[in-house]
Amino acid sequence: MSQQAFPTDDSQAGPQTHLHGHMSLWELLATVLAFSAPVAVVSGFIPFVIVFDGAGAPAVFLCAMALLLIFAIGFTTMTRYLPRPGGFYAYVTAGLGRVAGLGAAMLAIMGYLLLGFCTLPFFAVNVDALVRGSLGGPAIPWPVYGSLCGLGSATLCYFRIDLSAKVLTVAMALETLVVVIFDIAVLHNGGPEGISLAPLGWSSMTSGSVGIAILFAVTCFLGFEATAIFREEVRDAERTVPRATYLAVLLIGLFYAFSAWMTVSAFGMSRITAIASAAPANLFPRGMELYVGRIASDALHILLATSQFAAVLSAQNILARYGMSLGIDGVFPRILGHIHSRHQSPHVASMAVSLIWLIIGALFVLMSVPPDLLYARVAGVGGFAILLLMLLTSAAIIMFFRRSDQQFNAGLGATLFAPALATLGLGAVVYLAIANFTLLIGGSQNEANALIITTFLVFFAGAAYACILRSKKPTIYRNIGRQLL
């Protein structure tokens, strides 16, 4: 499929179809890295990787990093030929066609919508623990805290992306700092059994349930792929987007691997699995108090809350740009494609995201679903949707370059071999996700089956919608991906 198949005339798209911004490389990095919520991952996800793979957790993160770096080779190569933002929507449309592309767009919206929403009750639970536990304050229902978090995110998303980027940069710096302080303290102390390189070795990694551990580790990287969404809002996109993508994967991988290594060292290789299995949620706070002090442990609760707010803000920025792109194409109501004349933000699409989150939250409140249970279910489904999209994107990259002459400019390594290897690796991760879905959502097998089917149905619903447009509204059908390619 060549680029010529997608006309780029913007005459029917409205008065403005381009975003503008001046984000630097590091601001773009902070914007996408905030989605993964590093403090929340170190505190909430690394313990589960340890539960499944014991002392081999650091090596698991390095393995996941290697897989996603391979994925990034084809991903960043394709950005040279897709001049507009759009992320997975653009990639799958260019490689697999408009029908699959619209299905991928719906899947992406579902995934990011759920991952962003589920962070709101998680934020509320942590703020409630801070207010009642450390400050001795009153018990306040979680929807109040969740609404305040959502309101703050909606306000920042209304303005130019540069403001959100600056807020996210500060948040990222603070939460990274507290984890680094813990890592240095453990490295200096040595732990009960000393600092050993064994957790980084192959034998340690393969000693436990490595497949399930890699599944959890890969989900900790989600968000790095959003660099392409912001390509119109950065300086020198041709260089900044690929560099930010590679740096995001490298920084996430090395940061989590080192933090997992220090967490293992903090309690000792021989004891870490038992300690993590007994109370995974308390592992990192316990380590902070043990090696840094009680004040640092209390500060961790504050930084967990700011980390989760940053993740909500990052998710809303991503979702708003997906909604804007589909609005410009006419697939969604065109009003979603409106860009604020002063702030250069997709303000209408952003407000639509807030409204949807409000409706979803109200439904769960009416059903009296506990916030911790809500987070587990929704996060697992959202992460699974993004994993499916990454697999589709790898396949789309191969097809895009096979259907055009661009592979001769980029080389077979970047356009065939790396995407093929990434497709195999991500296919294995998706298989593991389906086989172990009960672990992802913390529910029963019947619930897991229902949610897996629902996720696939969202993709097929999007594809079916594309088929209807092709038959009933061919002009809009031809516009699918027109603004992106």
Side-chain angles (χ1 to χ4, degrees):
M1 182 177 297
S2 65
Q3 297 179 72
Q4 287 73 23
F6 296 89
T8 57
D9 176 21
D10 291 342
S11 61
Q12 301 178 8
Q16 184 179 356
T17 60
H18 294 265
L19 291 169
H20 301 283
H22 303 90
M23 283 196 294
S24 66
L25 170 64
W26 296 106
E27 287 174 331
L28 176 59
L29 269 174
T31 300
V32 298
L33 290 178
F35 184 77
S36 68
V39 165
V41 167
V42 173
S43 181
F45 278 82
I46 285 180
F48 282 101
V49 177
I50 291 173
V51 167
F52 290 112
D53 206 45
V60 167
F61 279 102
L62 292 177
C63 184
M65 181 183 72
L67 170 61
L68 295 177
L69 281 174
I70 294 171
F71 170 82
I73 293 172
F75 184 83
T76 56
T77 301
M78 199 166 173
T79 59
R80 304 176 195 171
Y81 311 106
L82 300 182
R84 299 291 303 276
F88 292 129
Y89 173 37
Y91 283 72
V92 177
T93 301
L96 301 179
R98 293 179 175 91
V99 173
L102 193 52
M106 299 305 174
L107 203 55
I109 290 172
M110 172 193 175
Y112 289 119
L113 198 66
L114 293 182
L115 286 170
F117 169 76
C118 75
T119 309
L120 295 172
F122 195 15
F123 170 88
V125 168
N126 277 285
V127 172
D128 180 65
L130 176 66
V131 170
R132 288 198 296 161
S134 301
L135 303 179
I140 297 175
W142 77 263
V144 175
Y145 290 125
S147 297
L148 289 174
C149 179
L151 179 61
S153 175
T155 302
L156 288 172
C157 286
Y158 184 83
F159 297 100
R160 186 186 291 268
I161 186 65
D162 305 63
L163 177 60
S164 292
K166 287 178 171 56
V167 171
L168 292 171
T169 299
V170 173
M172 280 294 300
L174 290 174
E175 60 182 295
T176 301
L177 178 62
V178 73
V179 177
V180 169
I181 290 173
F182 166 77
D183 292 342
I184 292 175
V186 175
L187 187 64
H188 175 73
N189 181 281
E193 299 175 10
I195 304 297
S196 170
L197 294 177
L200 303 175
W202 179 261
S203 59
S204 294
M205 186 179 75
T206 56
S207 62
S209 302
V210 62
I212 303 175
I214 288 177
L215 166 61
F216 275 87
V218 168
T219 60
C220 295
F221 286 76
L222 297 183
F224 79 92
E225 73 288 342
T227 50
I229 295 285
F230 300 98
R231 64 174 294 116
E232 286 185 338
E233 299 165 271
V234 300
R235 304 168 191 163
D236 191 7
E238 293 298 320
R239 294 185 179 183
T240 300
V241 171
R243 288 176 180 177
T245 305
Y246 282 118
L247 277 173
V249 176
L250 282 168
L251 291 176
I252 290 174
L254 294 176
F255 180 74
Y256 290 160
F258 188 73
S259 297
W261 183 22
M262 290 302 100
T263 301
V264 170
S265 301
F267 298 96
M269 288 184 60
S270 63
R271 301 170 56 226
I272 186 61
T273 303
I275 294 174
S277 299
N282 293 328
L283 186 67
F284 187 66
R286 178 180 174 184
M288 283 290 293
E289 184 172 351
L290 183 63
Y291 286 90
V292 185
R294 179 63 184 269
I295 295 178
S297 181
D298 290 338
L300 180 62
H301 288 293
I302 299 174
L303 290 173
L304 272 171
T306 60
S307 175
Q308 287 144 14
F309 172 76
V312 170
L313 178 58
S314 179
Q316 186 159 3
N317 273 308
I318 294 170
L319 281 163
R321 281 147 185 82
Y322 266 103
M324 181 201 72
S325 296
L326 289 162
I328 290 173
D329 287 347
V331 176
F332 282 178
R334 289 193 182 276
I335 191 174
L336 294 177
H338 287 194
I339 296 172
H340 198 287
S341 59
R342 179 182 177 186
H343 301 302
Q344 293 296 302
S345 64
H347 61 298
V348 178
S350 177
M351 288 188 287
V353 172
S354 296
L355 179 61
I356 293 171
W357 278 345
L358 182 63
I359 293 171
I360 296 174
L363 290 174
F364 280 114
V365 169
L366 290 174
M367 292 187 293
S368 301
V369 179
D372 51 349
L373 182 64
L374 176 59
Y375 174 78
R377 297 287 194 278
V378 175
V381 179
F384 178 61
I386 302 301
L387 286 176
L388 280 177
L389 278 170
M390 292 175 67
L391 176 60
L392 277 171
T393 301
S394 288
I397 292 170
I398 297 172
M399 295 304 297
F400 174 78
F401 286 108
R402 302 283 69 76
R403 293 178 178 179
S404 70
D405 296 330
Q406 304 294 357
Q407 71 267 24
F408 299 112
N409 299 328
L412 288 176
T415 63
L416 177 61
F417 299 139
L421 191 57
T423 301
L424 291 174
L426 289 168
V429 173
V430 168
Y431 168 77
L432 289 169
I434 293 173
N436 299 279
F437 210 76
T438 54
L439 295 175
L440 274 181
I441 65 169
S444 67
Q445 188 60 55
N446 288 337
E447 291 173 320
N449 293 338
L451 292 172
I452 290 171
I453 292 171
T454 300
T455 305
F456 279 101
L457 284 178
V458 168
F459 172 80
F460 289 117
Y465 181 36
C467 292
I468 293 172
L469 291 175
R470 181 172 57 191
S471 174
K472 303 294 185 181
K473 298 181 178 181
T475 301
I476 293 179
Y477 174 76
R478 288 192 296 270
N479 281 347
I480 295 175
R482 179 175 66 88
Q483 299 297 329
L484 307 174
L485 307 171

